[in-house]
Amino acid sequence: METINERVQFVVDQLFGGKAAELCRVAGIPASTLASIVGERQSKPSVDVLNKIYNAIADSEYSLLWLLTGNDEKMRSPRVRKTEPAAAVQRDTRPRIPMNAAAGAVSAALSGVKSEECEAMPIIYAFPQYNYTLFVKGDSMEPEFHSGDELACLQVTNNSFIQWGRYHVLDTAQGVVVKRIYDDGDYILCTSEASELYKPFRIHKREIYNIALVVGMLRRY
């Protein structure tokens, strides 16, 4: 573990059972920040982020010196972090975000700072891995999605992982939208299924706070 990025990944794997979301919750850092550190980007973590990560592992045998430099010979034996029962309950929930949420609500919910509008809902195990759910509002995505359908959404942590042409949820400066999306240079082209009623539109990438792939849907008849 020569790099600090490798040591942060070690913390995720050994102290949090490979659950990056749990480290984010305990440390109070956004999932996107951790993904940039241990993902393909391998960004160097800020001092503030490192302090939060260390505070999250302060009761383990790993020291701040080890986290920063890797040079503490006394801190080599892995130990799985023991969590309180309340933490286990927290891992079994995901935020449900309403479609009328203010811009940035998705990012706030995923960073562990729950928006007042978001509910903590039990995980729907029938779905693949997902980060949050939300209800569809309106008819722009019919017949694929109806108003009232609940969508399970998996956060996209890197633009290269966006599956162009599939349904995504965008947390934008204008609010939260569900659309089929396509790359358009500095913009993302958003299209509706009811194309005869709703024309395609573009959103500049810098005005998008969060992107998630729709991985599941529940329809209540």
Side-chain angles (χ1 to χ4, degrees):
M1 293 177 289
E2 296 182 355
T3 70
I4 196 166
N5 305 76
E6 291 174 332
R7 290 190 290 279
V8 172
Q9 183 67 64
F10 180 85
V11 167
V12 172
D13 293 340
Q14 297 296 333
L15 300 185
F16 291 87
K19 298 180 183 297
E22 177 66 1
L23 173 56
C24 291
R25 186 190 69 80
V26 175
I29 59 176
S32 57
T33 297
L34 183 60
S36 70
I37 295 170
V38 300
E40 292 185 355
R41 190 183 304 176
Q42 295 287 297
S43 300
K44 183 177 180 180
S46 67
V47 173
D48 179 59
V49 168
L50 285 173
N51 279 331
K52 289 180 178 179
I53 292 175
Y54 175 66
N55 287 336
I57 65 170
D59 63 349
S60 74
E61 60 264 63
Y62 294 93
S63 70
L64 182 59
L65 177 62
W66 171 82
L67 182 62
L68 294 175
T69 68
N71 290 332
D72 193 335
E73 293 300 331
K74 296 179 181 179
M75 308 299 172
R76 295 299 186 184
S77 300
R79 183 181 70 185
V80 176
R81 181 184 180 88
K82 295 182 180 179
T83 56
E84 298 298 326
V89 173
Q90 180 66 27
R91 288 200 302 271
D92 291 336
T93 65
R94 294 290 184 270
R96 174 190 281 169
I97 303 167
M99 281 297 291
N100 61 351
V106 173
S107 301
L110 293 180
S111 69
V113 183
K114 295 294 186 289
S115 165
E116 292 180 356
E117 297 178 324
C118 298
E119 303 174 79
M121 302 301 296
I123 288 179
I124 304 171
Y125 289 101
F127 289 157
Q129 180 182 357
Y130 68 99
N131 299 104
Y132 63 90
T133 67
L134 82 170
F135 287 116
V136 174
K137 182 178 180 180
D139 60 358
S140 67
M141 298 307 291
E142 290 188 358
E144 187 68 26
F145 303 131
H146 297 173
S147 185
D149 288 348
E150 186 166 10
L151 306 181
C153 308
L154 177 64
Q155 182 184 15
V156 176
T157 58
N158 188 305
N159 285 345
S160 64
F161 297 149
I162 296 176
Q163 299 182 36
W164 303 112
R166 291 189 61 182
Y167 301 108
H168 288 74
V169 173
L170 306 181
D171 185 10
T172 78
Q174 287 76 43
V176 181
V177 297
V178 180
K179 297 295 175 186
R180 193 190 292 271
I181 65 173
Y182 300 89
D183 192 17
D184 192 11
D186 290 334
Y187 293 81
I188 286 181
L189 178 66
C190 302
T191 65
S192 302
E193 291 302 280
S195 55
E196 68 280 2
L197 298 176
Y198 298 91
K199 301 300 181 184
F201 60 91
R202 301 191 306 163
I203 302 176
H204 201 285
K205 290 177 180 177
R206 66 168 173 260
E207 296 181 350
I208 298 174
Y209 306 126
N210 189 280
I211 301 177
L213 175 68
V214 176
V215 295
M217 183 267 288
L218 279 179
R219 179 165 296 163
R220 294 168 173 81
Y221 293 95

